[in-house]
């Protein structure tokens, strides 16, 4: 009789420990998901605060510009994973826009690249392909088209919300992080 009671007690203890472990794992996974969404919301909120006065005549272009700026910021911080994640979201937005097949192809390459130098070269291509959409469609605010002759070895453009030069091709820790100048300003007519 004592053996049955001991076996029963061990089975009950084992079952309870497995249940607690499973509950803890599910709770941890749920917390991770909440953290990921909170980080995304904060990141998008930061960008929205950076460009509250810039608008385009298409809501998809508003979102595309916001994501373009997030990629720019991620490159400035040399954050390869953020560039990949934001590029994936930019692809969806550009698909909804429907007029930017070249930009979609470049954003797809950005989303797949794990090489910072390669991402920066692709960002230069993305800027060239996407800038005309922003230039032709701006209805409020100003977008600055900047150029650095040292970027990527032969010079590259990027767009920004500010007259302050923060070069995504050099990284924020580089002594060349402010290399560049404004070459054009996009504003509504």
């Amino acid at each position: 009789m004592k053996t049955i009671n001991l076996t029963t007690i061990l089975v009950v203890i084992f079952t309870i420990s497995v249940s607690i472990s499973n509950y803890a794992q599910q709770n941890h996974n749920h917390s991770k998901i909440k953290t990921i969404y909170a980080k995304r919301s904060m990141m998008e909120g930061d960008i929205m605060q950076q460009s509250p006065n810039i608008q385009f005549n298409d809501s998809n272009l508003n979102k595309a510009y916001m994501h373009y700026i997030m990629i720019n910021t991620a490159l400035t911080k040399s954050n390869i994973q953020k560039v990949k994640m934001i590029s994936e979201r930019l692809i969806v937005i550009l698909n909804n826009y429907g007029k930017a097949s070249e930009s979609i192809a470049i954003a797809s390459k950005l989303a797949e690249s794990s090489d910072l130098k390669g991402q920066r070269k692709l960002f230069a291509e993305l800027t060239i392909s996407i800038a005309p959409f922003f230039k032709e469609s701006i209805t409020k605010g100003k977008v600055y088209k900047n150029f650095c002759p040292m970027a990527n070895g032969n010079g590259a453009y990027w767009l920004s919300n500010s007259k302050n030069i923060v070069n995504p091709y050099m990284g924020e820790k580089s002594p060349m992080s402010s290399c560049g100048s404004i070459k054009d300003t996009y504003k509504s007519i």
Side-chain angles (χ1 to χ4, degrees), residues 53-119:
N53 296 321
I54 299 171
Q55 290 185 357
F56 301 91
N57 64 8
D58 185 290
S59 64
N60 287 305
L61 283 179
N62 288 327
K63 293 174 190 173
Y65 182 74
M66 179 181 75
H67 284 76
Y68 172 90
I69 294 299
M70 286 192 291
I71 293 169
N72 182 333
T73 302
L75 286 171
T76 300
K77 296 181 182 290
S78 303
N79 191 328
I80 295 168
Q81 292 306 313
K82 267 191 184 173
V83 171
K84 292 174 76 165
M85 179 187 73
I86 298 164
S87 296
E88 288 173 0
R89 294 170 65 203
L90 178 61
I91 295 164
V92 173
I93 294 163
L94 292 175
N95 274 321
N96 290 337
Y97 180 58
K99 301 175 189 175
S101 58
E102 182 181 353
S103 298
I104 292 168
I106 297 166
S108 296
K109 291 177 185 175
L110 261 173
E112 294 170 3
S113 178
S114 294
D115 172 56
L116 184 61
K117 188 175 181 179
Q119 284 181 331

Side-chain angles (χ1 to χ4, degrees), residues 27-41:
N27 201 19
H28 176 72
N29 288 342
H30 185 65
S31 293
K32 276 174 92 175
I33 291 168
K34 285 172 97 175
T35 302
I36 289 168
Y37 282 113
K39 283 181 181 178
R40 283 183 182 173
S41 295

